[in-house]
Amino acid sequence: MDRIELDGGSIRYRVRGSGQPLVLLATLQGSWLRQVRALTEHFTTITYDMRGFGDSPSLVGFPTNAEHADDLAALLDHLGVERAVVVGMSHGGLVAQHFAAKHAERLAGLGLIATFGTAHGPTKQLLRMLNGFLERDDLPGFWEVLKSMLFSEAGVPALLRHEAALRKAMFDQYDVAALSSIYGGALEHDSQEWLGAPGCPALVVGGAEDILFPPVLTERLGARLPGARVELLPAAHIPPVEDPDRFNALLLETFGAAR
């Protein structure tokens, strides 16, 4: 892995494969293991830990999602990449929306995965509940609630078999402050006034059984991007993990010819 130094810290990143640059954007780059292995034959894949998380330290606290978008622009400058397909999942999807609004000229394609434009009633209540666990410094309680939202009913047996490994990979790298940054930012996120057509191929994917960001939010977000392809996969909150073959095929179908 390589590293770029920024005014407010640094970002550890990895570039693999060849072809159209594809940024797979999530809080931690390990979220994309099932994508990188399959897509490096078709794309130059770029993954990284966001500043303030994982192996990317921040010297000035946790950036806002708009600042994370500027970090991505700086990383692309560092790599000499003028335009890239940017695919953001969950928290990464919020950052990708800011990137599309602030740096639209850098986009060759936009993918918004398991994310939303603005929270509606039930989602807002769930986010408030999750933030409540963090305010009480109750990470075990937070995990018990969060894990119930990660996988669909069909995927629950796999979740239970691999819960320890999944928790280590997806949860134990965070502390209360890090999670408060993510989930507090999600509660405040509202792109209705500033997110418009990105002027490039767009894909919006949700989980048909996602409790946290349900299909209605996927459909509303897709409606804000004229011409976007909107897909619901048989999954809950992490379709790229739960249904990687179909998800990877969607990326190839939508962005494989992007230039």
Side-chain angles (χ1 to χ4, degrees):
M1 292 189 185
D2 295 302
R3 186 176 296 277
I4 174 178
E5 300 295 330
L6 302 171
D7 289 340
S10 66
I11 287 176
R12 193 174 187 187
Y13 67 90
R14 189 168 183 181
V15 180
R16 287 164 282 193
S18 60
Q20 167 71 44
L22 169 66
V23 178
L24 295 172
L25 179 59
T27 315
L28 297 174
Q29 61 182 303
S31 304
W32 299 105
L33 288 176
R34 295 188 178 186
Q35 280 61 60
V36 170
R37 294 169 183 167
L39 296 174
T40 51
E41 296 181 9
H42 308 278
F43 299 95
T44 297
T45 61
I46 302 166
T47 57
Y48 66 99
D49 295 340
M50 290 188 200
R51 180 161 55 95
F53 302 95
D55 290 326
S56 296
S58 175
L59 305 177
V60 290
F62 292 99
T64 66
N65 288 335
E67 290 169 337
H68 282 306
D70 291 336
D71 283 353
L72 173 54
L75 176 58
L76 295 179
D77 288 342
H78 174 75
L79 296 173
V81 174
E82 293 185 7
R83 298 173 72 239
V85 175
V86 176
V87 176
M89 177 172 66
S90 195
H91 178 209
L94 305 183
V95 174
Q97 291 174 56
H98 282 281
F99 186 85
K102 300 184 72 176
H103 305 283
E105 75 283 357
R106 310 297 297 268
L107 283 174
L110 175 65
L112 301 176
I113 317 302
T115 192
F116 65 98
T118 186
H120 80 322
T123 294
K124 190 173 294 185
Q125 294 306 312
L126 287 171
L127 288 171
R128 286 173 175 163
M129 179 176 64
L130 288 168
N131 277 289
F133 283 108
L134 299 174
E135 291 168 1
R136 297 188 295 274
D137 199 23
D138 183 2
L139 285 177
F142 183 98
W143 170 251
E144 287 301 314
V145 173
L146 179 66
K147 76 177 183 182
S148 70
M149 304 178 190
L150 295 179
F151 280 77
S152 66
E153 184 176 2
V156 166
L159 166 65
L160 296 177
R161 286 196 304 271
H162 305 294
E163 181 177 351
L166 185 67
R167 175 168 176 156
K168 182 178 180 180
M170 296 185 62
F171 187 73
D172 286 348
Q173 297 186 60
Y174 300 107
D175 58 17
V176 166
L179 290 167
S180 295
S181 171
I182 296 169
Y183 286 87
L187 190 57
E188 296 172 359
H189 181 80
D190 186 346
S191 62
Q192 292 183 104
E193 298 299 322
W194 48 262
L195 181 65
C200 61
L203 173 67
V204 181
V205 176
E209 297 184 36
D210 192 348
I211 299 171
L212 185 57
F213 304 154
V216 63
L217 295 189
T218 302
E219 292 162 357
R220 288 178 184 173
L221 181 57
R224 295 201 56 77
L225 305 175
R229 180 175 183 176
V230 180
E231 297 281 348
L232 293 173
L233 296 184
H237 187 56
I238 44 178
V241 174
E242 195 170 356
D243 194 4
D245 291 342
R246 179 56 183 153
F247 178 79
N248 295 347
L250 284 174
L251 292 190
L252 280 170
E253 292 166 11
T254 307
F255 304 122
R259 292 292 183 270

